[in-house]
Amino acid sequence: MEEFQSNTSIYAMKVASDGKKEDLSNGVKMQYTRENWLPWLKQELRIKKELLPIKLISFMWSGGMAAFLPYLTLHMQEIGLTYEQIGIIYAVLPVSSLMGPPIAGLFADRTGKYKLVLLITMIMSAVMHTLLLLVPVVPKNPLILSCDAEGHTLSWASCHPCFELQNNTRQEMILEKCQWECTSPPAEFSICLHGDQTNSPCFNFTTTPEMSINGSLISRLDESMCSHMWYDVVHEEVIYQQLTCPSTCQMNCHVSGLTPCQNVDETGNITFWLYITIRMLAMFFMAPAFTMVDAAMLAVVEQYQGDFGKQRILATLGLGFTPLVAGFLVDYHSSVVG
């Protein structure tokens, strides 16, 4: 770099229009040629072996965090947390982010063991985020569609008063994993939609592995409140009042896609409290790790007379590259396992 600076001072001398030399090295823009910028470019692109570890750490740390943090919200929904619980978790997480860096920095200043503190924060952040996979899933309440030639029933595995809130609400649900409950079942699964009367003309169509039904729910008066039935079923912009199966053999299908039954008691389950505890600890260790990685990078750059900006380029590449790879992997895995 010093050689380039001396060269630029020489190249900054040019012949003026009156035949005299004019020194342009003090703030005057010089005319670059291939002879002066090519050595500088080679010098700037030269990679110091001593800085390769910090480049790799910067790339993997920034890229790794950017790759999985967006999926944590989907993970919370997957384990059964409600939207209210997710909102509470994100409301208290900034507390951990604010507490982590001052406490870690104070401990590092008092002990003088900055490398040890950095190592602890990075390892604990990885451990705590991994422990989120061990949080138990909220027990689900399966909904089964039972259908035969006389009608249908939507039966819940267990009853809860909040199910009454589903009455007279529009629900778009998905029928899946259908199976017959008889010794000689028909060759294919199908359902039949009628008008106002059960004996009215039937619109019959074959069910697919996943078929959507859009209709309103109402409790069955002759049974417990944990059973519903559909009415005003919409298919291809036509409204039907009855849903049956064109066979005396009963067909059972799992129903998914129903809006979760929200109630205040769910905020006290073990899943919510265990998840929020581990997530706050993970954020407590992750926040200071980000700042201390930058501090360590500055120290290493100063020690080996490098450029901080060049090391940050690898962090930026990690932010853009690893989330893209993670997205492709998630899409590929989802297409394989569903």
Side-chain angles (χ1 to χ4, degrees):
M1 193 66 185
E2 294 179 357
E3 180 182 354
F4 173 70
Q5 291 177 351
S6 61
N7 291 337
T8 54
S9 298
I10 296 174
Y11 291 128
M13 304 293 297
K14 79 178 187 67
V15 179
S17 59
D18 56 357
K20 298 181 180 180
K21 291 184 178 180
E22 182 181 356
D23 189 355
L24 297 181
S25 60
N26 296 324
V28 181
K29 185 176 181 181
M30 61 176 290
Q31 183 69 31
Y32 285 96
T33 63
R34 180 177 180 180
E35 288 75 12
N36 58 20
W37 65 260
L38 190 57
W40 169 83
L41 183 61
K42 292 181 179 179
Q43 178 71 18
E44 292 297 314
L45 294 179
R46 186 173 66 88
I47 299 177
K48 293 184 178 181
K49 296 181 180 180
E50 299 84 358
L51 296 177
L52 284 178
I54 198 67
K55 286 184 172 68
L56 182 62
I57 292 174
S58 179
F59 177 85
M60 297 184 66
W61 177 254
S62 300
M65 289 298 178
F68 83 91
L69 285 176
Y71 290 100
L72 289 181
T73 303
L74 298 179
H75 176 248
M76 287 189 280
Q77 296 179 4
E78 184 71 17
I79 63 177
L81 296 179
T82 64
Y83 296 127
E84 288 78 4
Q85 292 171 341
I86 295 175
I88 293 173
I89 291 173
Y90 278 118
V92 300
L93 282 182
V95 177
S96 295
S97 300
L98 294 175
M99 293 175 58
I103 294 177
L106 180 62
F107 180 79
D109 291 336
R110 289 292 182 89
T111 60
K113 300 179 179 179
Y114 296 97
K115 291 183 179 179
L116 178 62
V117 174
L118 174 59
L119 186 62
I120 292 176
T121 54
M122 295 183 73
I123 292 178
M124 292 302 298
S125 176
V127 170
M128 289 300 169
H129 280 99
T130 305
L131 288 178
L132 293 175
L133 299 176
L134 302 180
V135 177
V137 178
V138 176
K140 296 182 179 180
N141 192 8
L143 178 61
I144 303 297
L145 168 68
S146 300
C147 180
D148 55 24
E150 296 183 359
H152 73 279
T153 300
L154 294 167
S155 302
W156 302 89
S158 61
C159 296
H160 196 285
C162 72
F163 293 144
E164 294 182 349
L165 302 177
Q166 305 286 4
N167 285 338
N168 299 317
T169 60
R170 302 286 303 174
Q171 299 286 348
E172 182 175 0
M173 294 179 274
I174 300 174
L175 303 182
E176 54 187 3
K177 301 178 182 178
C178 296
Q179 58 183 2
W180 296 107
E181 297 294 336
C182 60
T183 56
S184 300
E188 60 183 14
F189 298 101
S190 61
I191 61 176
C192 189
L193 298 177
H194 304 269
D196 294 335
Q197 303 296 328
T198 304
N199 56 0
S200 61
C202 167
F203 177 82
N204 184 289
F205 58 96
T206 303
T207 62
T208 60
E210 289 188 1
M211 181 183 64
S212 298
I213 295 291
N214 187 357
S216 301
L217 292 180
I218 189 171
S219 298
R220 294 181 63 92
L221 299 179
D222 57 339
E223 297 183 13
S224 61
M225 63 181 179
C226 59
S227 296
H228 285 84
M229 61 181 299
W230 269 309
Y231 71 95
D232 289 344
V233 180
V234 179
H235 180 72
E236 295 183 353
E237 299 182 356
V238 179
I239 300 178
Y240 299 90
Q241 297 299 324
Q242 299 288 338
L243 185 150
T244 62
C245 291
S247 174
T248 56
C249 183
Q250 180 174 303
M251 182 180 73
N252 293 334
C253 299
H254 288 267
V255 181
S256 61
L258 182 69
T259 303
C261 186
Q262 308 287 346
N263 60 86
V264 295
D265 296 334
E266 289 181 353
T267 57
N269 62 56
I270 186 63
T271 299
F272 170 75
W273 292 111
L274 187 59
Y275 186 93
I276 194 173
T277 301
I278 298 176
R279 185 70 185 277
M280 289 189 69
L281 289 174
M283 185 63 66
F284 177 85
F285 289 107
M286 185 181 69
F290 272 110
T291 57
M292 297 195 71
V293 165
D294 288 339
M297 190 185 303
L298 282 172
V300 174
V301 167
E302 183 178 358
Q303 179 181 357
Y304 294 103
Q305 297 180 354
D307 294 324
F308 180 76
K310 292 180 181 178
Q311 322 312 316
R312 290 296 301 172
I313 289 177
L314 270 297
T316 304
L317 291 177
L319 291 174
F321 177 74
T322 53
L324 183 64
V325 174
F328 280 122
L329 291 177
V330 170
D331 290 341
Y332 173 77
H333 183 70
S334 300
S335 64
V336 174
V337 302

